[in-house]
Amino acid sequence: MIKRKISVLLVLFTLLSLNGWAQEPVYLDTSKTIETRVKDALSRMTLEEKVELCHAQSKFSSKGVPRLGIPDVWSSDGSHGVSDEKLWDEWSSAQWTNDSCTAFPALTCLAATFNPDISLLYGKSIGEEARYRNKTMLLGPGVNIYRTPLNGRNFEYMGEDPFLASRMVVPYIQGVQSNGVAACVKHFALNNQEISRGEINVNVSARALYEIYLPAFKAAVQEGNVWSIMGAYNKIWGVHSCHNDLLLNKILKNDWKFDGVVVSDWGGVHSTDEAVNNGLDIEMGTYTNGLTTQGHFPFSSYYLADPFLKGIKSGKYEISKLDDKASRILRMIFRTTMSPNRPFGRFVSPEHSSAARKIADEGIVLLKNNKQFLPIPEGKYTKIAVIGENAARSLIVGGGSTSLKAAYEISPLQGLKNKYGENHIVYSMGYASGPSLYGAEEPSKLNLDSLRTAAVEVASHADLVLFVGGLNKNYFQDCESGDRKSLSLPFGQDKLIEDILKVNKNVGVILLSGNAVLMPWLDKTPAVLQGWYLGSEAGNALADIISGDVNPSGKLPISFPKKLEDVGAHAFDKLCYPGDGVNVYYKEDILVGYRWYDTKNIPVLFPFGHGLSYTTFQYGKPTISSKSITTADSLVVTIPVKNTGKVVGKEVVQLYVNDEKSSLPRPLKELKGFDKISLQPGEEKTVSFTLTKEDVSYYDDKKNAWIAEPGNFKIMIGASAADIKGTASFILK
Ligand code: BGC
């Protein structure tokens, strides 16, 4: 009797398992590897379901596999805050009331910290916000190299140096992804201008591509293990980047072994054949042009939707291509929304505010400070005039896809009032710029002459003037889809500053921008701060630095040129920038940023790596572990640095390398190491750097290989690219 019962139960159990009821399917079994789960899920899916993974279903989402309980993929801009929810198939806000985020400083500010620990904090904090909002993918960070100061999107990127961008992008990704949210590094590659971005064909040497424009993406993949990458709008060597065989199949997926998802930029796909064959995985935003045009087409008509399915069914496209795309997307879903280890995140927490403030504090750069004009202790001045629109204007909205709905924003004016007391501050707008529009420019209706006259009057009665200006996130300023028209400060600010200086010499200039600007008044003003776009905590952070509560320690991730023609990209004809609408030729080649100014001996306003402190540092003599090494060895360089001033301070010690004689021309200096150290007054620390053959190699485009050529190399240790404190030499055998 008992035996019979057992066998009945066994039969029942077998029947149940055959039907998949008793046992969990493998793809849901979290004790199995992701690869096993991906394979299993794929084996259960229909062709239609696989194709549905590969294209958008709404403005910011693509389908999962509802039948199998595999969630949709939801993405969100941007790299310095999690945007508000958008309508299903519109760019406009969905007007939720629970989606106002913490705005973190823009990425030029992060790069200016020269501090990978701060980048980890940044990634972790913004990743927590993205996780709380249940995003699969955060559309950032951007690591396109700063080629021209006119590029409207430079503020979204990490400066002009590939080594700096590489070191900073890795911890950012790790921080984001520790939350079970995929970082999406963008825009791969060479989206270095907004003019004609959708069609411009970038002609660049393989050497410049590998040495300057790709390293940060490579680090993101190989060291950051990034789970997704966004293609760029432009073409490279004749083919659109979002479906470019060389870039996506060869370099990214084959050479770098990227196992994640390639997402198109919104509207960056132009052909089913190329999208299927050349390495794209998810198609987004087709029939739109960035945020400006809005067609209404069914998502099923996307290049990777019905035309793809039809091609698979007719045998035109290999099924392996579809399976590869679907596997990558499933892998990302298993790594993120289906990860059993996914934390819960948090949103607009006090920790995020303090992270935003810390990032801003460390990224603000003190460019000039004559006769200790700064810091300004509380109580020193009775009447402080704060002048300039940027003191009171929101610099979180605008700019295009990075525009944020922030939970709060402390303006510079508010921050200064909080610090020095409402009674000691008098504000005058001074200039006006009009609303932050996307794809259109609308001058302010206010009268600039009257604004200037009123500001000069206020300045003439003040003990001290703090001018807060710069750029903003209007079209043709720091804004997506357009470049700046000039390197000068807009909206009459230069004249305004000059006029103020005529009535009051005590003027500190605070520039908020993501780009370098000209400063014709520089000799006449005692102090200049570069404050970038600082996010929710802008005013508090600026007050921290201005008052001396925090000692500035930011360094420039970009050079400030003396004039536009001095910039490599502008030293040639129009074909070099912005191109003829069809082609652009990167004639300056590998000489981007300080590599150009140094090698061509062109003086700059402020060099790459520059940034002052309220204390002073003394550099000792550098020593090296060996005078001669082979390519198998590494070299250790050490240098003592001492705080010789009266306050605690942080210094970014920078190491540059020069190949004294080379078969191919090389820049005079290349950054290959930096370390930010904190020193108490009188304290000394020894900084050490390890160099390997990678740090002295160049890319030979004839041999298609990195070459470490034997010979003499010079090491320069400095406080900026132009302030070298000590040198040493070694021979590579
Ligand atoms: C931008 C991307 C952005 C996407 C979605 C595009 O216009 O180039 O950086 O992530 O829109 O908003």
Side-chain angles (χ1 to χ4, degrees), residues 88 107 130 184 187 250 265 314 340 365 371 384 449 492 600 715:
W88 186 256
L107 294 193
C184 182
H187 306 89
K250 186 188 172 304
D265 201 342
S314 71
V365 183
K371 298 197 187 128
I384 302 175
D449 285 338
K600 301 286 177 186
I715 289 166

Side-chain angles (χ1 to χ4, degrees), residues 60 77 91 139 153 186-187 197 230 233 265-266 290 401 480:
F60 282 97
D77 281 313
W91 291 110
L139 302 177
R153 294 191 85 173
K186 66 192 190 185
H187 306 89
R197 67 174 179 178
M230 187 189 292
Y233 281 127
D265 201 342
W266 270 233
S401 56
E480 193 182 331

Side-chain angles (χ1 to χ4, degrees), residues 229-292:
I229 277 198
M230 187 189 292
Y233 281 127
N234 49 283
K235 291 181 185 166
I236 300 178
W237 298 334
V239 186
H240 272 107
S241 315
C242 286
H243 30 75
N244 186 308
D245 185 52
L246 176 84
L247 207 59
L248 303 179
N249 284 337
K250 186 188 172 304
I251 298 179
L252 179 66
K253 292 183 172 175
N254 187 60
D255 297 352
W256 297 351
K257 309 272 172 273
F258 176 65
D259 68 358
V261 172
V262 177
V263 186
S264 75
D265 201 342
W266 270 233
V269 181
H270 307 272
S271 142
T272 299
D273 281 359
E274 289 186 9
V276 171
N277 295 315
N278 293 354
L280 180 72
D281 300 311
I282 302 183
E283 175 191 4
M284 297 298 296
T286 297
Y287 307 118
T288 68
N289 159 24
L291 318 179
T292 42

Side-chain angles (χ1 to χ4, degrees), residues 158-199:
M158 298 196 189
E160 70 186 32
D161 183 73
F163 182 83
L164 174 65
S166 303
R167 291 311 94 220
M168 297 302 283
V169 75
V170 169
Y172 184 112
I173 293 164
Q174 290 165 339
V176 170
Q177 295 189 168
S178 66
N179 291 288
V181 172
C184 182
V185 174
K186 66 192 190 185
H187 306 89
F188 190 59
L190 297 162
N191 186 180
N192 303 112
Q193 65 186 56
E194 291 297 287
I195 294 183
S196 321
R197 67 174 179 178
E199 57 282 332

Side-chain angles (χ1 to χ4, degrees), residues 31 61 111 159 186 234 238 357 392 457 463 466 473 532 550-551 572 602 624 674 694:
S31 70
S61 77
K186 66 192 190 185
N234 49 283
R357 184 163 177 172
E457 172 68 15
D463 303 322
L466 293 174
K473 289 153 99 187
W532 318 111
V550 172
N551 192 350
F572 302 86
I602 299 171
I624 48 177
F674 61 87
E694 274 74 43

